[in-house]
């Protein structure tokens, strides 16, 4: 009996130790997830799903790692196992909803999110992960307002259940931050830190908020504070790296130093995570963001040798090769990515690059279609119309080029007066006197007029084009109205007092004086003024045929 008693005590001790190990291991796995050590977390959680196979939480967090690594199909399979273990697992239903959401199956996502909420009771964690899920479908880092608002709504419901869930408060702050609601974001981050002053994720999130406000010094301070809490918290280095790059873009004097520092910070991030394929792919994303395309091409080529067929490598090869003007490599890589990848993984920026690559490869028509596809997928990509306009202009498809620039100026906030000049010149060159469409001249003059109004002072090139447009309006050359006269006179006032700098400038002066000479010759019948202008034409261009004809006729008239 004593022997049985000893064995019973030993078994009980092992059970207690096992429970302690499980609790610690799950906590460690979650800590690894927060630190973006996904391979480490995945290894621990796979073990837990075996050793503690009745705990549905283990399956959920393993599935969540798959979500973060962009393997939604694997995540879905694991969440379903969690539900098999516990049919009332709110977390795993939330996970299924997220897997459907990232796969853009919103109906299924909503069904599973509703089921998760029904089963959650007073547990706020399912609300946290539904909120996180709504923020995952970002396009080039931008979360759609509808998705962010859905996240905010569900997270506030979770907050009503448990206002002391610090993780929930951080995610709620993130949701507000994506919509530039800085006050609300900061309030939630501060509330989270009041609950847990050593919450590194809240410190980093606040640092990111200051980055978006271009307050880089406070950003760095908060990243350092996060690292003081946990020196191995890799995300602090990652966000610090991205802050350095934003700083470099905003301050040219700091550009070189900050890009270099940013790359070093990201390497620290890699060293603190797991140097997995997913981490290296994220590094490739960072290099693209940093504009270090030489390093990106080297990294993409290295990944191609060790990626075990991960197609995303082709995306980075295409981006880098295009920027490095290696267009054949870029075209092959991008075609491979777009044709072989799951269509749900292809993003607008991929079509943007495909269009640029095709245009650079002489496939302009295909390139324009690809750029239009990029805009269709993401209507914030209005800048593609400037690229479409440039391509069409190079092909001498001037009216379509003008339409593209008009679209760009209508839809984008980045349009400049130079873009109005491009629009105007496109429509001007589209006009054909043999098949006159005066609406093209009206559109051209409207663009040039806008520049004149906004520029504050006359611009010679614009004045010259307004002269040409108005000259084209004089369709009846035998009954010239002189619409262009004031513009050619203004052009000469602006540039005619200095010697022409080159042949182009000389030709423009000849054009202006020739028009005025003909105007005075035929319209005003003012021989003196006509002679004055054609004399200047002859001085600039002794072989000018129009001036020669004028003086020949003038001489003949005198002979008679």
């Amino acid at each position: 009996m004593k022997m049985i008693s000893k064995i019973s005590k030993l078994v009980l001790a092992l059970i207690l130790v096992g429970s302690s190990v499980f609790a610690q291991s799950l906590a460690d796995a979650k800590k690894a997830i927060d630190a973006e050590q996904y391979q480490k977390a995945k290894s621990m959680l796979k073990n837990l799903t075996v050793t503690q196979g009745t705990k549905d939480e283990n399956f959920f967090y393993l599935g969540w790692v798959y979500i973060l690594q962009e393997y939604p199909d694997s995540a879905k399979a694991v969440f379903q196992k969690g539900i098999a273990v516990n049919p009332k697992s709110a977390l795993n239903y939330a996970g299924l909803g997220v897997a459907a959401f990232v796969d853009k199956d919103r109906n299924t996502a909503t069904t599973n999110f509703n089921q998760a909420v029904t089963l959650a009771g007073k547990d706020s964690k399912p609300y946290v992960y539904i909120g996180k899920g709504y923020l995952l479908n970002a396009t080039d880092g931008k979360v759609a307002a509808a998705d962010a608002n859905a996240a905010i709504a569900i997270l506030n419901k979770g907050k009503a259940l448990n206002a002391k869930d610090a993780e929930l408060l951080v995610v709620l702050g993130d949701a507000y931050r994506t919509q530039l609601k800085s006050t609300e974001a900061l309030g939630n981050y501060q509330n989270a830190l009041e609950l847990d002053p050593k919450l590194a994720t809240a410190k980093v999130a606040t640092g990111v908020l200051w980055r978006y406000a271009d307050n880089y010094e406070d950003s760095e301070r908060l990243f350092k504070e996060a690292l003081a809490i946990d020196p191995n918290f890799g995300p602090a280095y990652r966000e610090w790296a991205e802050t350095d790059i934003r700083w470099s873009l905003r301050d040219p004097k700091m550009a070189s130093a900050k890009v270099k520092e940013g790359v070093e910070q990201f390497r620290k991030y890699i060293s603190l995570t797991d140097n997995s394929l997913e981490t290296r792919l994220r590094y490739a994303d960072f290099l693209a963001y940093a504009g270090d395309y030489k390093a990106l091409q080297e990294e993409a080529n290295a990944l191609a040798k060790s990626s075990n067929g991960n197609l995303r490598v082709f995306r980075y090869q295409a981006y880098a090769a295009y920027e490095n003007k290696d267009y054949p490599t870029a075209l092959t890589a991008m075609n491979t990515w777009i044709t072989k990848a799951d269509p749900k993984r292809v993003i607008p920026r991929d079509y943007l690059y495909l269009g640029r690559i095709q245009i650079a490869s002489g496939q302009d028509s295909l390139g324009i279609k690809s750029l239009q596809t990029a805009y269709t997928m993401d209507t914030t990509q209005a800048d593609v119309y400037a690229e479409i306009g440039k391509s069409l202009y190079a092909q001498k498809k001037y009216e379509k080029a003008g339409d593209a620039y008009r679209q760009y100026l209508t839809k984008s906030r980045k349009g400049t007066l130079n873009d109005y000049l491009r629009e105007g010149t496109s429509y001007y060159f589209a006009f054909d006197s043999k098949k006159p469409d005066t609406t093209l001249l009206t559109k051209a003059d409207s663009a040039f007029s806008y520049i004149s109004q906004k520029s504050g002072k006359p611009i010679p090139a614009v004045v010259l084009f307004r002269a040409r447009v108005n000259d084209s309006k004089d369709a009846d050359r035998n009954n010239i109205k002189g619409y262009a006269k004031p513009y050619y006179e203004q052009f000469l006032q602006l540039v005619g007092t200095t010697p022409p700098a080159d042949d182009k400038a000389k030709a423009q002066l000849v054009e202006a004086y020739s028009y005025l000479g003909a105007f005075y010759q035929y319209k005003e019948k003012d021989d003196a003024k006509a002679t004055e202008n054609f004399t200047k034409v002859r001085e600039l261009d002794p072989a000018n045929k129009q001036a020669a004809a004028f003086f020949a006729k003038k001489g003949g008239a005198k002979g008679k």
Side-chain angles (χ1 to χ4, degrees), residues 394-410:
Q395 298 175 64
K396 299 184 179 180
K397 297 178 180 178
Y398 296 121
E399 184 175 358
K400 289 184 178 180
D403 291 344
Y405 282 119
R406 178 91 303 266
Q407 287 272 60
Y408 171 62
L409 290 165
T410 302

Side-chain angles (χ1 to χ4, degrees), residues 80-93:
Q80 287 171 332
K81 289 180 181 178
I83 291 171
V85 166
N86 176 10
K88 295 184 178 181
S89 175
L91 272 175
N92 280 288
Y93 273 108

Side-chain angles (χ1 to χ4, degrees), residues 34-45:
D34 286 341
E36 298 179 12
Q37 297 169 337
Y38 298 137
Q39 291 301 109
K40 177 181 178 182
K42 191 155 57 176
S43 177
M44 296 167 68
L45 289 162

Side-chain angles (χ1 to χ4, degrees), residues 474-483 523:
D474 263 342
D476 185 356
R477 308 311 289 176
N478 295 317
N479 186 24
I480 295 175
K481 303 296 184 184
Y483 300 133
K523 174 68 174 174

Side-chain angles (χ1 to χ4, degrees), residues 14 17 48 88 223 241 270 399 408 473 515:
L14 288 172
V17 170
L48 285 171
K88 295 184 178 181
F223 299 143
I270 292 174
E399 184 175 358
Y408 171 62
K473 290 178 181 179
Y515 174 87

Side-chain angles (χ1 to χ4, degrees), residues 59-79:
F59 291 94
F60 168 74
Y61 285 106
L62 176 58
W64 187 251
V65 173
Y66 281 122
I67 288 288
L68 296 175
Q69 291 185 317
E70 297 187 27
Y71 299 118
D73 290 340
S74 299
K76 181 180 178 181
V78 176
F79 294 140

Side-chain angles (χ1 to χ4, degrees), residues 227-260:
L227 290 166
I229 294 169
D230 181 358
N232 296 319
F233 193 67
Y237 282 112
R238 176 175 53 74
E239 296 293 359
W240 194 347
E242 294 186 7
T243 299
D244 281 331
I245 299 305
R246 184 179 173 98
W247 195 341
S248 75
L249 295 172
R250 293 291 194 275
D251 187 349
K253 294 179 181 178
M254 302 289 286
S256 179
K258 286 300 173 184
V259 168
K260 183 178 179 181

